[in-house]
Structures are given as C-alpha cells and as structure tokens.
Amino acid sequence: MTTELHEQLRRAVRDFATQEVAPRVAAMERDQAVDRGLASLIANQGWIGVTIDPRWGGMGAGHEAKTIIVEELSRVSAAAGAVAQASQLGVAKIALFGSEEQQRIWLPTIADGSVLPTIAVTETGSGGHVLGMRSTARRSGGSYVLNGKKCFVGNSHVGGLHGVVVRTGPGSRGLTAFLVEADRPGVALEPHEPRLGLHGFSFGSIRFDNVKVPASAVVGEVGGGLAVAYSSSILYGRVNLAAVALGLHRAVVERVVSEAQNRVRYSRPLGDLPVVQHKIGKMQARLAAASALVYQAASMLDRGQPCDSALIASKHEGVALLLDSVRQGMEIHAADALYSGSAMARLMRDSWCVEPPAGTGDVQAHRLAEGLLHPGRYPDWSERFAGKLAARGAWAAPASTPAPAEPLVLAAADGAPR
C-alpha cells in the first residue's frame, strides 16, 4: 500500500510530467527522433536511482515508488515512461549481481543522472529465446573481446553503460554478462529507426566489433549470464512494463471520458448514450484491476516477499487489459481516431509497443502455467534477492524482511534451462 511519502512523490512526478514532458510530446511525434534531452531531464531528477541503496546515493525507495514514477511519466508520454523503466533494467544487473567495486563505481553515477544504464540481451535471430544468442566474448589474457549485435536495447542511443550478455561457452552455463561503456572502441550504434510508437524513445541496435573489456567487467560469475538476464527481466522488466501500461491505461480512460463529455451527438453529450457509458464503465473496471495487480506486485517486492508469479501476471494482464480499453477507446472516437496526429492514435500506437518486451503475452501465460504445473522447478528470483529488493529507510514497510534463500539451480528437471 502506498503511503503519504509515495503520494508526495506522485505529485512531484505528475507536476514534472505536466510542465516538462507534455510540451515535448508534439515534437517527438512529429520528428520521430530520439529525444536526448528528455532522457537527461528524467535522469537529472535522480529518479533512475529510486531503487538504488542510499549508501550509493540512491533513494532506496523501492518498487512501489518506481512504479509511481513510471506510471506518472507514461500517463503523459509513454516514451518518457519507457526511458525510466529501461534504465531500471540497467540498474538491476549491477544492484543484484555487481561486485562491491562495480557498485561503488557505477551506482552513484547512475543515481545522480550522470550515466544511463541499459541491458542488451536480445538478438534478431533468437528474440526471447535467450539461449539462442550468437554474440560472443573470447578470453584474451586478462581481458575479453566481444563480437556480435544486440537489438531492441532500451535507451540504446542515450545509454552510457551497456549490460551485455553474450556467449562464452556452450549450453545454459555458457552465457556471461559484462559491463561495457558506450564509448569503448568497437561499440557502434546503428542509425535510429522509428517504431510504430514510443516516439522519442530509443530501442535500437548496438554492434560490438572486437570490443576489448577487462575481466573485471564481468557481472556476477563467468557462465552466470542466464541468471543475470532472467532475474533482471522478471524482477524489474515485468513490473516496469506493467507500470508503463498502467500510465497509458489511465491516459486512455481520461481521453475517452473527455471525448464523451465534450462531443455532442443528437444535441446531447456522447456520454449520454448507454452504449458509450457501458464501454467507459468496462474501461474503468479494467483500469482498477490493472492498478491493483501492479501495485500488489511492487508492494510484495518492497516487503521482500516471494512474488515472481505476481510480477509476471501484472505484465500479462496489465497489457491485455490496456489493449482491450484502447480498442474500445478507438471505437468511441470512431473516425476521428484515424488521424495519425490524434491523441487516441498515439495512445494506440504506444500501447502496442508495450506488449512484446520482456516476453509477449503468450510467453507470460506459459510462465504462469509452468509455475502451477511444476512448482519449485524454476528459480524464484524474488525470494533469492529479497534482501536486495526491499525498500529502505522511511520507504520501508514495517513488516520484517525474510533472509535471502540459498542459490537456486537454473536448469529445469528436464534439462531445459529457464
């Protein structure tokens, strides 16, 4: 449950989004280019450090606070919310697996907005099949040499530190995560290509051509990259994207209510028509359900409670409910929504861009079913990292935080890595 401290944060982010982000939306839609200034504005607020421990200069405010930030930014601009949520994925690998030295070097610079982190896992030929990646890192003395290409990297064109997972050997134990500075020789960005939506946000491709990094750049253990990728996606990625979807959902409902109140049909407001009222009522019910799911999951993270399935469900249902409401919003706006520059068209485009990342709806449903059919087979990341995920100080819940569980095996009983 959110507290007055959370609501103070909500008001601050809402004011920022209204005053600083909203005036940029029209230009982002028109130009469809990366808005580097937007990323800097958000980072300079210190909000990328919302889950970072205060000893490294972060807020230590936890995942409910992070959800508020992403939701309120997304309510005004899903691109702005995407900037914040993608950076949080970059935080995850360092906060959960980084060495003391890596945390000392990087977390303060992320918390103060000097560096935006990314996570680069996906490849064109493998998509969500992480073990199908082909990018490699070869040991060379006290260094590693990286080669390959990553796609759909959130904040690709504004990130200063890439968390790259590549292959160092065969099988599920053959992936390793590295921290790679964006300005290292051999790191190259491919030109930005506008997507269907999220205009202003960059989620592009990065090439690594004989990029040499020291062995100290390894995050976690050599061969432990699968754990870095999966835990970051489940613990941060799912609920982050659910928060983007929630902000979009709220914007859709507000847009439709305004349309119903102000558009006149048959000498009366459109909202007087029973069919329109019914659709708006269903939209509000979906919004309430999505909000409950995402804040329940975030609250469980803050309290150190096992909640992997709740995190997955928040993304699965949050996006599905959003897309249902977007469809009805398009119906209510009718032909007016077909203009590419209309607010409803923008919300529709942005909403579809939230469905594929961190696993499509089908992938989420599959993971939820596996959790019921084969309990205990796969790692429960929220239980393993409970102590590192919980909120700190004034943001912390009064309930005690359970001790972290023993390290969990990644391989499934049938030998298929998860």
Side-chain angles (χ1 to χ4, degrees):
M1 296 292 292
T2 56
T3 65
E4 176 54 31
L5 196 57
H6 288 105
E7 294 311 312
Q8 290 175 14
L9 175 64
R10 184 182 297 279
R11 289 190 289 271
V13 180
R14 183 169 292 184
D15 288 346
F16 170 85
T18 300
Q19 296 166 16
E20 302 292 341
V21 178
R24 311 177 76 96
V25 171
M28 290 193 293
E29 290 299 307
R30 181 189 68 239
D31 300 338
Q32 299 188 20
V34 178
D35 190 333
R36 297 175 184 273
L38 175 65
S40 296
L41 273 174
I42 294 170
N44 290 339
Q45 305 307 305
W47 293 331
I48 308 305
V50 62
T51 61
I52 294 176
D53 195 302
R55 71 181 177 128
W56 302 123
M59 294 170 62
H63 296 266
E64 282 187 281
K66 177 191 65 178
T67 298
I68 288 170
I69 292 168
V70 175
E71 178 195 353
E72 289 297 332
L73 290 173
S74 300
R75 177 174 164 266
V76 171
S77 164
V83 168
Q85 81 82 19
S87 297
Q88 286 296 321
L89 271 173
V91 168
K93 62 187 180 297
I94 305 173
L96 300 181
F97 290 90
S99 66
E100 183 82 5
E101 181 70 2
Q102 288 170 338
Q103 293 183 359
R104 182 187 66 78
I105 292 172
W106 292 113
L107 292 183
T109 65
I110 295 169
D112 69 16
S114 302
V115 172
L116 275 176
T118 78
I119 188 163
V121 176
T122 306
E123 297 184 5
T124 303
S126 53
H129 175 42
V130 177
L131 287 176
M133 69 172 60
R134 302 181 68 178
S135 296
T136 62
R138 174 178 53 83
R139 187 71 188 249
S140 177
S143 303
Y144 284 85
V145 179
L146 279 64
N147 281 282
K149 176 182 171 182
K150 298 293 180 178
C151 63
F152 301 124
V153 180
N155 287 329
S156 53
H157 287 64
V158 296
L161 180 69
H162 303 305
V164 188
V165 179
V166 293
R167 186 161 289 287
T168 52
S172 62
R173 300 290 177 178
L175 303 182
T176 302
F178 295 86
L179 293 177
V180 183
E181 298 91 333
D183 58 358
R184 275 197 177 266
V187 178
L189 288 167
E190 295 202 341
H192 171 70
E193 293 185 53
R195 313 294 182 176
L196 174 68
L198 299 181
H199 299 148
F201 173 62
S202 65
F203 48 121
S205 298
I206 307 175
R207 295 195 312 275
F208 301 90
D209 299 320
N210 292 318
V211 177
K212 189 175 183 179
V213 297
S216 60
V218 172
V219 182
E221 300 178 349
V222 174
L226 191 63
V228 176
Y230 277 180
S231 63
S232 298
S233 180
I234 291 175
L235 297 176
Y236 284 71
R238 262 67 161 185
V239 74
N240 286 3
L241 289 160
V244 175
L246 182 61
L248 274 165
H249 206 154
R250 201 169 299 282
V252 168
V253 173
E254 290 170 353
R255 174 64 252 167
V256 171
V257 168
S258 176
E259 177 77 359
Q261 290 173 331
N262 294 297
R263 183 170 290 277
V264 176
R265 285 293 182 270
Y266 310 111
S267 303
R268 299 173 64 184
L270 186 64
D272 284 357
L273 295 174
V275 65
V276 173
Q277 291 178 356
H278 179 76
K279 289 182 178 182
I280 291 176
K282 294 289 288 184
M283 292 169 69
Q284 177 62 14
R286 292 189 200 101
L287 176 61
S291 180
L293 281 169
V294 66
Y295 278 101
Q296 178 194 35
S299 175
M300 292 175 77
L301 280 177
D302 281 350
R303 287 158 176 74
Q305 299 171 352
C307 59
D308 282 23
S309 62
L311 296 167
I312 295 169
S314 72
K315 199 261 180 176
H316 178 275
E317 283 302 292
V319 174
L321 292 167
L322 164 65
L323 293 176
D324 283 344
S325 289
V326 164
R327 176 180 57 79
Q328 289 194 317
M330 294 288 288
E331 292 171 354
I332 290 172
H333 279 72
D336 282 344
L338 301 182
Y339 291 103
S340 61
S342 73
M344 196 63 224
R346 172 174 63 86
L347 293 170
M348 181 272 293
R349 292 193 299 268
D350 289 349
S351 295
W352 274 107
C353 289
V354 185
E355 207 274 343
T360 63
D362 288 338
V363 170
Q364 307 307 315
H366 176 63
R367 295 297 185 212
L368 289 168
E370 284 185 321
L372 291 174
L373 296 170
H374 308 289
R377 176 182 286 186
Y378 310 123
D380 192 312
W381 300 108
S382 52
E383 182 177 32
R384 176 176 176 180
F385 290 110
K388 293 185 176 182
L389 293 164
R392 311 286 178 180
W395 301 91
S400 60
T401 299
E406 291 297 315
L408 299 171
V409 177
L410 276 174
D414 61 2
R418 294 290 187 257

